[in-house]
Amino acid sequence: MSTTSYIETNRERFLSELFDLLRIPSISADSAYAGDVRKCAETVANFLTKAGADNVVLEETAGYPIVYGEKIIDANLPTVLVYGHYDVQPSVPNEFWNTPPFEPTIINDKIYARGACDDKGQMFMHVKAFETMMQTNQLACNIKFMIEGEEEVGSNNLGTYCKNNKEKLKADVILISDTSMIANDIPSIDVGLRGLSYVEVEVTGPNIDLHSGVYGGAVSNPVNALCQMIAKMHDDNRHITIPGFYDDVLEVSVEDREAMAKIPFSLDEYKKHLNINDVLGESGFSTIERTGIRPTLDVNGIWGGYIGEGAKTVLPSKAYAKISMRLVPNQSSEKITELFSNYFKQIAPAGVTVKVTPHHGGEPVVTPTTSIAYKAASNAMIDTFGKEPIPTRGGGSIPIVALFEKELQTKTVLMGFGLDSDAIHSPNEHYGVFNFFKGIETIPRFFHHFSELSK
Ligand code: BES
Ligand code: MN
Ligand code: MN
């Protein structure tokens, strides 16, 4: 039987199995869901075993387990290590969901659920593609699966696991579907991801909340101070003002920028989709460049003072913010966190003290377009989309990609099938049924080409 007819025959079951995964609220950030995260790991392990994997185990870590499984068919064939994650982002704010986040629902050929695209839907394509290759006798490479449960909280235990299991994880390439493509009729492959530096700041003024009339005007207000400090972090050209912030930024060549300018992109559609009247970013760069090759600084959350009903006159004692900086080659997340920290303390106005707490970070990466593995992914997409995929730079971060290079000396191919409009991390996250099956169809073609090109 051909892979396409096997997929066609099993279409409904593939979807209903994905739904089983999507029903499990495996939110790694919230300890209230610890049992569900673990249950999700077990469910993934069961699916891998049923698909035909050997030696399936839950590898225990200091956090959530890593699901490992493999099928080694011939030591002379190349080995593909598939990475994905079974944990998801919190679903809040729940009131903005049109359907419950953990009750997957298909509307207009899109699967709505938290994790539908990021990354259960995309990760599960690999499990079903593997089953398909097994059942049709077309597995052309050895395969190893490493599916983790802490990607959305910084993959803190994956580095140690990789360091301690170098032999077990040995592979010729790492294949990941956890990114997006330009459009369903414009395939693309991410060849870069941004790094991340993430900090939480606490600004303290007086030792207790004060009456804003009795003390207001005479005592430094930490919320005012925080806003002023944050505003100072960009200049009028939207450059980040932290001294040394751009020192290590690799300028992208004129040729590469010209190639980026040719990527199909409609600013009007972009604005319309987000319902914004204009875009805003670093001057001198296009929207695609701003998200692909330039670093950023954004407030992710800010709070302090009175936010209850009505008006309470108060001069707050404390103000807080969570701030992320997306990084590009060759910035280092540790160095940027330190530069931020120093600058943030330096610009604090009189009367407040400042505390900066770093959260998880990650390094940026660029993946090669000249490798056999990239060529195999490109050929696979040509087979199923009828078009050569365009290499693009993803704005998000998958910190373990840089880590895999460091710990395992193995390069990655980011063959993602999502769309930027899939609302990952947002309410109403969804994944196209088309994309799910396109992935299942394309992955076996990757294995075929990778094996052929490795000969
Ligand atoms: N799958 C995303 C990353 C992604 C999405 C890359 C779309 C490119 C295009 C991943 O699950 C993710 O959300 N990563 C986090 C980083 C992590 C350290 C929390 C991110 O980018 O915010
Ligand atoms: Mn992801
Ligand atoms: Mn994510």
Side-chain angles (χ1 to χ4, degrees), residues 85 87-89 118-119 151-152 178 397-398 424-425 429:
H85 62 94
D87 65 321
V88 298
Q89 286 273 327
D118 184 12
D119 179 40
E151 197 277 342
E152 299 291 8
D178 194 21
S397 309
I398 310 180
I424 63 170
H425 296 204
E429 174 177 355

Side-chain angles (χ1 to χ4, degrees), residues 362-378:
E363 306 312 324
V365 276
V366 170
T367 61
T369 50
T370 49
S371 65
I372 289 175
Y374 182 85
K375 184 83 188 144
S378 179

Side-chain angles (χ1 to χ4, degrees), residues 88-111:
V88 298
Q89 286 273 327
S91 58
V92 286
N94 286 336
E95 63 271 27
F96 293 109
W97 284 80
N98 298 325
T99 57
F102 297 102
E103 289 174 28
T105 313
I106 296 181
I107 302 167
N108 292 334
D109 291 320
K110 293 183 186 91
I111 307 157

Side-chain angles (χ1 to χ4, degrees), residues 9 15 18 35 38 63 73 90-91 100 117 119 125 132 145 206 217 246 252 319 349 359 364 370 377 388 431 443 445:
T9 313
L15 274 177
L18 171 61
R38 187 161 279 275
I73 45 175
S91 58
C117 173
D119 179 40
M125 298 181 319
T132 301
F145 285 93
Y246 292 97
V252 172
H359 285 281
T370 49
E388 187 177 341
Y431 192 40
I443 292 161
R445 300 308 300 158

Side-chain angles (χ1 to χ4, degrees), residues 3-4 7 125 129 380 383-385 434 436-446:
T3 50
T4 39
I7 295 164
M125 298 181 319
D383 289 347
T384 56
F385 287 87
F434 168 89
F436 179 62
F437 285 105
K438 203 60 152 178
I440 300 174
E441 204 189 315
T442 308
I443 292 161
R445 300 308 300 158
F446 173 87

